[in-house]
Amino acid sequence: MSLMFPYSPGDQFKRADMHDLIGGSFRHGMTKCNGGNDYLLFHDPKNSKKFGYDKWEGKQADGSFHYSGQGTLGNQKLTRANMGLIKANEQGIPIHLIESLNGTCTYLGQYILGDPTFSVEKAPDVKGHVERDIFVFKLVPIANYMDADLSLHLNGRVEGATTFWVPPTFETILLSDPANSRKQIDRVENKLQAEFGGYLISNGHEVLTHSFSFEGLRGTLKPDFWIPCLGLVVEAKPSNAREFIRLAIGQVLDYANLSKLEGNPMIPAILVPNRPTADLCSLINDLGITMIFRNRNNQFEIHPAK
């Protein structure tokens, strides 16, 4: 008979006591438990460093948690526990993340796999010699999770770094997999970015990129354009369809907020190929977001919010 998962975020316990209560393998970092009704992931920062996973693992700037797959020799494979994690997610089995450090476990909460489910990265084998492929799963926290950094932004721990803008590639992006719709979307967006960047440069504007980082978190958040002379932070999307506008609004308002917290406030702007519908234009304007799109003459127009 299965039990309700017995821990709440922040609870600390010994691993042996937990296994006595709900079962599961004591030896592995990924294991089913509770009669197959829960899936456990153990994150040990010391072991992560030992196996070269520390470059990838841990809490990320976007709020996700990156977790390395199972297998310490040779390329990791989508079998056994790695496939078990994917199937648990597909079947709606709760996935629980637990930090294990110096003999004490801390329950971090319940997660699901994000999009993309995983990336393939490089790490040394257990002997530290050969570079190999490992899976780095993207875990996204859901309702019941522990976040020790809820006051992150209030504490002002946001830092930014600016570099020169480099046009994204788009000509060859479909060659490896022409049927991949995600790559088609990427190609359209990259082409739009490259052309808008060229337009800015031809008009004498300095075009930069900017990265936001957070103390204690891995990774960065990067808007598509950082244009100091216009005071704009820009998020580009490949279409003016509602689903893309909604995504752009959330992202660019976050970037604008981060720029303010960093002490370098910028005006949010959205770049799309064509003018959005009237109701979306009104919404964008009401939110104080600048609109950038091509007119009927294929020229870029920049429309500040009124």
Side-chain angles (χ1 to χ4, degrees):
M1 183 178 70
S2 64
L3 303 171
M4 288 188 62
F5 194 75
Y7 300 107
S8 297
D11 285 352
Q12 293 188 322
F13 45 88
K14 297 296 183 182
R15 181 165 179 173
D17 294 338
M18 182 199 66
H19 287 306
D20 286 343
L21 187 61
I22 58 175
S25 171
F26 187 87
R27 297 179 54 199
H28 298 108
M30 309 165 72
T31 178
K32 280 187 177 182
C33 70
N34 202 15
N37 290 289
D38 291 282
Y39 202 90
L40 304 178
L41 300 176
F42 291 89
H43 170 61
D44 186 329
K46 288 186 177 179
N47 276 342
S48 292
K49 190 170 185 178
K50 174 182 175 182
F51 295 129
Y53 299 160
D54 56 315
K55 180 179 179 181
W56 310 110
E57 282 197 338
K59 191 171 181 183
Q60 306 295 307
D62 64 359
S64 65
F65 191 101
H66 285 187
Y67 185 88
S68 299
Q70 186 183 76
T72 59
L73 282 173
N75 293 334
Q76 292 184 352
K77 299 178 180 179
L78 278 181
T79 57
R80 304 178 65 182
N82 294 326
M83 181 55 69
L85 174 58
I86 292 175
K87 288 185 175 180
N89 188 72
E90 291 174 346
Q91 295 167 7
I93 295 173
I95 298 167
H96 305 281
L97 181 62
I98 299 166
E99 182 178 80
S100 178
L101 186 62
N102 298 324
T104 299
C105 291
T106 303
Y107 179 51
L108 301 183
Q110 188 176 334
Y111 288 70
I112 58 175
L113 291 179
D115 183 18
T117 300
F118 62 84
S119 61
V120 178
E121 308 295 351
K122 294 291 185 181
D125 63 16
V126 69
K127 298 179 181 179
H129 301 309
V130 181
E131 284 272 297
R132 63 200 181 95
D133 292 340
I134 66 167
F135 299 112
V136 178
F137 292 97
K138 182 177 183 178
L139 304 176
V140 178
I142 56 176
N144 192 28
Y145 74 100
M146 176 182 177
D147 189 344
D149 286 317
L150 290 175
S151 60
L152 173 69
H153 294 169
L154 296 179
N155 292 337
R157 293 180 289 165
V158 180
E159 296 182 356
T162 301
T163 57
F164 288 107
W165 175 78
V166 177
T169 59
F170 61 90
E171 293 92 344
T172 60
I173 202 167
L174 286 175
L175 295 181
S176 61
D177 189 2
N180 189 314
S181 60
R182 176 67 254 180
K183 289 189 176 182
Q184 175 64 28
I185 291 172
D186 289 343
R187 181 181 185 277
V188 172
E189 183 174 320
N190 285 5
K191 185 173 185 291
L192 178 66
Q193 289 184 38
E195 291 172 349
F196 180 63
Y199 161 80
L200 291 171
I201 292 171
S202 68
N203 282 274
H205 300 305
E206 184 180 38
V207 185
L208 304 173
T209 58
H210 197 77
S211 300
F212 296 104
S213 60
F214 309 90
E215 182 181 334
L217 303 183
R218 294 190 178 279
T220 59
L221 298 178
K222 298 179 181 179
D224 293 316
F225 291 94
W226 185 266
I227 314 170
C229 58
L230 300 178
L232 296 178
V233 55
V234 183
E235 177 63 24
K237 292 299 175 193
S239 169
N240 62 355
R242 187 174 299 273
E243 65 171 303
F244 291 101
I245 296 296
R246 291 172 66 184
L247 286 172
I249 286 173
Q251 288 175 283
V252 79
L253 288 179
D254 186 35
Y255 292 140
N257 182 55
L258 292 175
S259 72
K260 181 174 64 175
L261 293 170
E262 182 197 341
N264 191 12
M266 300 285 273
I267 299 168
I270 292 174
L271 167 65
V272 288
N274 308 103
R275 181 192 290 270
T277 58
D279 67 306
L280 290 175
C281 286
S282 178
L283 172 62
I284 293 167
N285 181 76
D286 290 346
L287 292 171
I289 299 173
T290 293
M291 280 189 296
I292 307 169
F293 53 83
R294 279 198 173 98
N295 60 26
R296 293 182 179 179
N297 296 320
N298 208 34
Q299 300 297 313
F300 285 106
E301 294 185 2
I302 300 176
H303 293 263
K306 298 178 181 178

